[in-house]
Amino acid sequence: MKNAAVIGAGTIGLSWTALFAGHGLTVRVTDPRPDLADAIFKALEEFTPHLAARGLDVTGLADRVIIAADVAEAVKDADVVQENGPENVEFKKDLFKQLVEEAPEHALLLSSSSAIPSTAFTGDLEDASRVLIGHPFNPPHLIPLVEVVPGERTSEESVRKAVDFYTFLGRTPVVERKEIPGFVGNRLQNALSREAIYLVEQGVVTPEDLDKVITNSLGIRWATVGPFLGSHLGGGPGGYRHMAEHIGKSMKKMWAGLGNPSQSPEEQEQLIEAVEKAYGSSTYSKLAETRDRKQLAVLNAVEEN
């Protein structure tokens, strides 16, 4: 993989661009946004210290990023294409039809889709063997996970190439064996978010204090061992079996009582105002900088141990 094409230069696309260039790839970027050049410049300026902190050589980083006038120009010599367009089936149908026709025959065609499985937008393609999902978590130049989700007609060779590619980028690819809307990470995130919204909606806790609960307990535990190993260790020497046999019944009872927030317009507005009250005094850039600095510290600590 020497040449990459990034289709769509929003938050995710710009982050991929920096990561690809940071690993020595020549990256052609296309997006209809009128401020594309300025957006790329600002993103590289912001992300370069992150890449350097991860041990990458950022010398000449910007020189490896090229603005392409359109999709055809972006993919003309691509070894890999990372699509970051709207979450819209029809859009992706049209785009991937074009990618199959105009990208080199060996090029891997990846979508950052966060909810739509590739089978949903490849049904009309004559050959969908090299199309699959490579779903990152924001920002992908920092967060290691990439969910590799093959479609019904994706070849095993393409899955292997995708895993190798993301591993080369220092990511942690996880191949999901069955397509499901939202994939794994977002479904877990949404399940936790639903209960978090319910607890705030019911007046049990404020948004700020709920964040404290997560960052001072589950966030720490799951960042190091995940939920299943965490439960296995929580069972002591008896492991997950002891946990399931002794706490499983009470946990099962709790499942039935998990919240189902109504999120009426009034309640949604109340939640928005509560979050804004907690965090609105800081700018987006300041909050994001703090988040990324802490995430880098977590990543470095996990890797050192």
Side-chain angles (χ1 to χ4, degrees):
M1 301 289 190
K2 295 182 179 180
N3 299 304
V6 172
I7 312 298
T11 302
I12 299 298
L14 291 171
S15 183
W16 276 130
T17 297
L19 183 68
F20 293 171
H23 281 82
L25 279 72
T26 298
V27 190
R28 293 183 182 273
V29 187
T30 188
D31 190 294
R33 61 187 296 177
D35 65 337
L36 180 56
D38 187 51
I40 291 173
F41 174 80
K42 289 180 178 178
L44 294 181
E45 185 178 47
E46 178 183 349
F47 299 154
T48 293
H50 301 165
L51 300 174
R54 300 296 292 152
L56 297 178
D57 182 2
V58 295
T59 305
L61 188 71
D63 296 336
R64 295 192 286 276
V65 179
I66 301 166
I67 293 177
D70 52 29
V71 170
E73 182 183 334
V75 306
K76 64 182 181 180
D77 59 357
D79 300 307
V80 59
V81 178
Q82 186 82 42
E83 174 267 326
N84 313 279
E87 285 290 298
N88 181 289
V89 171
E90 294 305 316
F91 171 86
K92 293 185 189 298
K93 280 183 179 180
D94 292 340
L95 178 59
F96 276 87
K97 183 177 185 295
Q98 183 180 5
L99 293 179
V100 168
E101 293 172 352
E102 298 181 347
E105 291 184 0
H106 71 278
L108 194 60
L109 307 179
L110 301 160
S111 174
S112 296
S113 170
S114 60
I116 305 171
S118 64
T119 298
F121 56 82
T122 57
D124 296 336
L125 297 180
E126 184 176 340
D127 179 14
S129 63
R130 53 197 176 117
V131 180
L132 68 164
I133 302 298
H135 172 239
F137 265 57
N138 185 33
H141 73 280
L142 284 183
I143 304 299
L145 177 69
V146 181
E147 296 178 285
V148 175
V149 190
E152 292 177 358
R153 295 192 290 152
T154 305
S155 70
E156 288 296 327
E157 174 67 10
S158 293
V159 175
R160 184 193 63 77
K161 285 176 65 176
V163 169
D164 289 347
F165 174 60
Y166 289 127
T167 301
F168 163 72
L169 295 174
R171 305 303 85 190
T172 302
V174 174
V175 178
E176 296 175 8
R177 294 164 175 79
K178 183 178 180 180
E179 288 184 301
I180 188 169
F183 315 122
V184 174
N186 275 341
R187 292 177 72 91
L188 291 170
Q189 181 173 246
N190 287 341
L192 184 59
S193 293
R194 187 176 102 166
E195 183 65 16
I197 291 170
Y198 176 77
L199 291 170
V200 173
E201 193 176 272
Q202 294 298 307
V204 177
V205 68
T206 66
E208 188 174 18
D209 282 341
L210 190 136
D211 284 348
K212 289 178 182 178
V213 169
I214 296 298
T215 55
N216 288 278
S217 61
L218 296 178
I220 297 171
R221 179 184 296 166
W222 289 356
T224 53
V225 296
F228 279 115
L229 178 52
S231 295
H232 184 60
L233 294 171
Y240 192 82
R241 180 178 298 278
H242 178 82
M243 173 72 77
E245 291 176 349
H246 287 77
I247 305 180
K249 290 182 179 180
S250 61
M251 291 295 290
K252 190 174 181 179
K253 290 179 180 178
M254 197 182 300
W255 293 347
L258 290 176
N260 186 22
S262 62
Q263 278 292 275
S264 66
E266 294 77 16
E267 287 167 328
Q268 186 177 56
E269 180 60 29
Q270 289 175 1
L271 179 60
I272 292 170
E273 290 177 0
V275 174
E276 289 175 342
K277 180 180 178 181
Y279 301 115
S281 60
S282 295
T283 64
Y284 168 81
S285 59
K286 184 176 180 181
L287 290 170
E289 188 277 330
T290 301
R291 175 201 67 189
D292 295 341
R293 177 167 41 82
K294 290 181 177 180
Q295 288 180 161
L296 277 167
V298 171
L299 288 169
N300 291 333
V302 170
E303 289 180 0
E304 289 171 2
N305 291 277

